[in-house]
Amino acid sequence: MSDVRRTDAVLLLVALVWGSSYLSAQTATAALPVLLVLFARYALSALACLGVVATRDRGSRRWTRDELRAGVPLGLTQAAVLVVETYGVAHTSAANAGLIISLTIVLTPFLDRGGHRGALPVSFFAATGVCVLAVGLLMSGNGFHAPRLGDLLMLGAALIRAVHVALVGRFTTGRAVRPLHLTTVQTLVGTALFLPVAAHDLPTLVRTDPATWAQLVYLALFCSVFAFLAQTWAVQRTSASRASLLLGTEPVWAVAVGTALGGEHLTPLTGLGAALMVAGTYWGQAVERAHRSAPGLLPPSSHSPDKDSACPTAPTATPARTTSARTTSARTTPAGTTPTAT
């Protein structure tokens, strides 16, 4: 396998892992309280990140002042993303969750203007309109009715993740911040936040069945730590545009996993909504990227979002910035790549 194809395969694997995280989070929250799931995911991710940092940084300074100053507030916003996102996944389908959270891609440019000067083109707002229509169709289910709680929570998670992504750029651009170290601080902050509220349920966690533990380990080690490291490795070996295209398949994988493994079904309305959401986010991403790189505009910001919130969010990385867990909400990639969620 050539280096290009190997890199593409790794990026697609990352998108698949992130897309599957919604079903895993839904399965875990069906067996355990949401806050306990979040604590377990954060704690396992923090232990893994600390292990990697300790292995790589023997004899050198572990964290810079900028990493600590940025990591604490970003850890708080990332935790907010994961709380809303995980509660949302518990009350809607995994497919809907993965599709709605991808709204972060078109919401972020409204909040993060560091990479452009002047108004966004009309075509970007048209793409946003397509995404809004898609959300309405996804919420309709078998017919138009009052929005479901889970879908509304996922909308809130997409907005909070966009805010988180914008803050990532504000706190990290031009500063001595390494993605692995930053996300390690975030996972430690999240662990400290969720420990007090989940402490009384810890005996339940100890007694939980192996299948649920497998979901928790998968969320922490694969959807967070592995995906973050693999993404960082791959993005360094390809273009931001190519990485963005491949990572942008995350909502497609969320639908595929939800229907194939979760027993979920797409009605004609939700199927149309899924198609419009994918088309709208790709269109909006392409328009924003072209606008940001056009001659005469400010150079693009040197950051991008983290997807998974738990050790890299994700929300999910959108152009200039988007992730983060899924549950999740933090992966940091070059501008122009797609974050994401859970």
Side-chain angles (χ1 to χ4, degrees):
M1 182 182 293
S2 68
D3 288 341
V4 172
R5 291 190 176 184
R6 184 181 299 110
T7 302
D8 287 352
V10 169
L11 287 169
L12 281 174
L13 180 58
V14 171
L16 170 58
V17 167
W18 275 331
S20 67
S21 67
Y22 301 99
L23 181 60
S24 293
Q26 187 180 65
T27 304
T29 54
L32 296 171
V34 168
L35 295 177
L36 185 60
V37 169
L38 289 172
F39 166 73
R41 180 174 182 176
Y42 263 113
L44 292 171
S45 297
L47 289 173
C49 287
L50 285 171
V52 175
V53 170
T55 301
R56 295 179 56 180
D57 291 357
R58 290 176 181 173
S60 63
R61 186 177 181 182
R62 297 293 171 82
W63 282 276
T64 66
R65 181 175 300 177
D66 286 336
E67 288 164 351
L68 294 174
R69 286 179 174 176
V72 173
L74 291 178
L76 295 174
T77 56
Q78 185 184 78
V81 173
L82 286 183
V83 167
V84 179
E85 184 178 287
T86 308
Y87 273 111
V89 170
H91 293 87
T92 189
S93 68
N96 270 21
L99 288 162
I100 293 174
I101 199 68
S102 64
L103 269 176
T104 303
I105 295 174
V106 293
L107 288 173
T108 300
F110 288 109
L111 302 173
D112 180 10
R113 303 310 304 277
H116 9 176
R117 182 191 308 156
L120 288 163
V122 174
S123 55
F124 181 84
F125 295 94
T128 303
V130 171
C131 291
V132 172
L133 174 61
V135 170
L137 293 173
L138 289 169
M139 288 181 172
S140 68
N142 294 313
F144 292 101
H145 49 69
R148 289 169 291 184
L149 174 62
D151 294 330
L152 291 176
L153 287 172
M154 293 310 300
L155 276 174
L159 177 59
I160 298 171
R161 183 186 281 187
V163 173
H164 172 74
V165 172
L167 290 177
V168 169
R170 181 172 300 179
F171 291 156
T172 63
T173 301
R175 299 178 182 177
V177 174
R178 294 160 292 181
L180 174 61
H181 292 68
L182 176 65
T183 53
T184 301
V185 176
Q186 290 175 291
T187 58
L188 291 171
V189 170
T191 302
L193 282 175
F194 290 115
L195 176 57
V197 294
H200 65 285
D201 288 322
L202 288 179
T204 304
L205 182 63
V206 174
R207 296 191 302 267
T208 194
D209 60 275
T212 303
W213 267 110
Q215 298 291 346
L216 295 174
V217 170
Y218 180 73
L219 285 170
L221 301 187
F222 288 88
C223 300
S224 297
V225 181
F226 162 76
F228 165 68
L229 295 176
Q231 181 202 34
T232 301
W233 175 88
V235 166
Q236 291 174 340
R237 290 163 174 78
T238 189
S239 68
S241 297
R242 191 178 186 89
S244 179
L245 178 65
L246 295 170
L247 292 172
T249 61
E250 178 187 339
V252 178
W253 293 114
V255 172
V257 172
T259 54
L261 301 181
E264 299 174 358
H265 301 283
L266 290 179
T267 67
L269 281 177
T270 54
L272 177 60
L276 289 176
M277 178 62 77
V278 173
T281 52
Y282 269 88
W283 182 18
Q285 186 184 47
V287 170
E288 193 274 343
R289 185 170 58 244
H291 176 67
R292 174 163 31 86
S293 59
L297 297 180
L298 293 174
S301 54
S302 61
H303 65 276
S304 78
D306 352 69
K307 162 152 192 326
D308 186 338
S309 11
C311 172
T313 78
T316 167
T318 60
R321 188 246 167 242
T322 227
T323 100
S324 245
R326 16 229 128 225
T327 255
T328 289
S329 313
R331 54 186 180 184
T332 301
T333 63
T337 61
T338 304
T340 138
T342 165

